[in-house]
Amino acid sequence: MNIEEKIIKLKNEKNAVILAHNYQIVPIQDLADFRGDSLQLSIQAKKSQAPLIVFCGVRFMAETAAILNPEAKVILPVEDAGCPLADMINVEQLREFKAHHPEAKVVCYINSSAAVKAESDVCCTSANAVQIINSFPEDETILFVPDKNLGSWVAKKSGRKVIVWDGYCPVHQWGFTRRAYEHLKNLYPDYKMIAHPECDEDIIEVADEVLSTSGMERYVKEHDRLIIATDSSFTDYMQHLYPQKKLISLNTRAFCNNMRKTNLKNLLNALEKEETIVEVPPEISEKALSALNKMLELSH
Ligand code: 13P
Ligand code: SF4
């Protein structure tokens, strides 16, 4: 039996479900029961009936699954698969930010800790951020944490007053430059570029579309020649699904180290040992659930 077969056998014996984010390596995405963006995986986690959810992604995603589905045991195959962006704001910093703007509402990107979610009015992902901001009355001031790039893009799209926290994803902030874009655009002038909203505004300004990873996947289905500005594992997986398409990563070396920590070996080990269990203390979980549920209600 090869390692994939062992994983599937054990998964079936334990009646587990494997969720994988779009940035996971190709073999992991290939054997997952569901793969998708943060929003799609949150929805899957919430509606899953499985007693065991194996989350191939990063900690905030597994934490979100545990909050949305308290019946299930949620495991993260690599204990230290974190998200530097989520770590750019903690609950004390958020409280201070709120104290400076007591009239404002807080929208928190799902790439945040459970404690930060618990202090927020509503969560959002890159797929529904504009929709969530637009759900507030037009004159409402919004504090957006922790991603400044997503927050600024949403402010522009919605025309709302948004005060952004100064956080960023190192992969998207530094991985893609205007210079690299211009170089590729010179070589491939008929290619369109799609970018994730976590990218710096230098890239956002020249992108043909700014999309979450699920939005990117829809765009890839409809276009044959693309430059893609997001984690290069996403481009690898799209190329694997659509080998006939011409897909170029704006930077093949721009990928999330934390997402790449999960591999078939540690996934098998995690399933065998049912480790690492991700749990959220009930007093945090209850409040974070309210912010997540509000997001899900507004996302329909
Ligand atoms: P998506 O929700 O678009 O998949 O993005 C998640 C993420 O972590 C981007 O860096
Ligand atoms: Fe976090 Fe960036 Fe990795 Fe996404 S790509 S999980 S935002 S560090």
Side-chain angles (χ1 to χ4, degrees), residues 257-297:
N257 286 321
N258 285 284
M259 287 282 184
R260 290 254 176 133
K261 286 177 181 169
T262 311
N263 55 41
L264 292 173
K265 222 169 140 196
N266 55 39
L267 171 55
L268 178 60
N269 187 52
L271 254 172
E272 274 166 356
K273 299 193 176 133
E274 300 191 13
E275 289 177 346
T276 313
I277 300 173
V278 175
E279 283 170 319
V280 181
E283 63 284 6
I284 292 177
S285 182
E286 229 168 79
K287 289 195 206 150
L289 180 61
S290 147
L292 283 164
N293 275 339
K294 243 181 251 166
M295 169 187 84
L296 294 176
E297 280 159 28

Side-chain angles (χ1 to χ4, degrees), residues 23 58 60 83-85 111 169-172 198 256 259:
Y23 293 163
V58 293
F60 78 81
C83 168
L85 166 61
N111 297 40
C169 159
V171 181
H172 289 86
E198 286 174 16
C256 178
M259 287 282 184

Side-chain angles (χ1 to χ4, degrees), residues 88 149 168-177 198-200 251 254:
M88 285 190 191
N149 292 323
Y168 56 86
C169 159
V171 181
H172 289 86
Q173 179 69 42
W174 297 321
F176 310 107
T177 61
E198 286 174 16
C199 290
D200 186 83
N251 178 359

Side-chain angles (χ1 to χ4, degrees), residues 28-188:
I28 297 276
Q29 292 202 50
D30 255 353
L31 65 66
D33 295 293
F34 299 99
R35 57 171 193 87
D37 71 1
S38 310
L39 180 61
Q40 292 169 324
L41 296 178
S42 301
I43 294 169
Q44 282 303 334
K46 186 179 163 87
K47 69 180 186 204
S48 172
Q49 302 285 327
L52 186 62
I53 297 176
V54 185
F55 210 117
C56 299
V58 293
R59 179 163 290 271
F60 78 81
M61 297 180 176
E63 250 181 21
T64 301
I67 296 165
L68 288 169
N69 190 338
E71 302 291 304
K73 185 194 263 187
V74 177
I75 59 174
L76 183 66
V78 180
E79 186 171 15
D80 69 348
C83 168
L85 166 61
D87 295 339
M88 285 190 191
I89 191 165
N90 62 34
V91 72
E92 288 76 28
Q93 290 170 310
L94 176 54
R95 284 187 187 137
E96 208 181 314
F97 194 30
K98 282 166 70 169
H100 281 106
H101 305 278
E103 75 298 345
K105 292 282 187 282
V106 180
V107 177
C108 114
Y109 189 27
I110 200 160
N111 297 40
S112 54
S113 67
V116 163
K117 289 182 177 77
E119 278 288 320
S120 303
D121 292 289
V122 59
C123 295
C124 75
T125 75
S126 55
N128 60 20
V130 175
Q131 216 178 336
I132 300 294
I133 298 277
N134 279 336
S135 72
F136 287 96
E138 268 179 44
D139 56 351
E140 195 96 69
T141 302
I142 312 286
L143 303 184
F144 192 95
V145 298
D147 188 52
K148 63 174 178 181
N149 292 323
L150 177 63
S152 306
W153 176 71
V154 166
K156 217 171 188 175
K157 291 283 282 185
S158 64
R160 301 300 173 98
K161 186 171 180 221
V162 182
I163 305 172
V164 298
W165 186 256
D166 192 21
Y168 56 86
C169 159
V171 181
H172 289 86
Q173 179 69 42
W174 297 321
F176 310 107
T177 61
R178 185 72 82 87
R179 211 160 139 203
Y181 165 74
E182 278 157 10
H183 174 72
L184 280 182
K185 211 40 192 173
N186 267 334
L187 292 174
Y188 308 103

Side-chain angles (χ1 to χ4, degrees), residues 1-12 18 28 31 263-265 267-269 271:
M1 230 191 307
N2 67 25
I3 189 157
E4 279 97 340
E5 288 163 343
K6 283 185 193 164
I7 291 170
I8 290 166
K9 183 170 177 282
L10 197 54
K11 183 197 76 165
N12 291 337
I18 299 177
I28 297 276
L31 65 66
N263 55 41
L264 292 173
K265 222 169 140 196
L267 171 55
L268 178 60
N269 187 52
L271 254 172

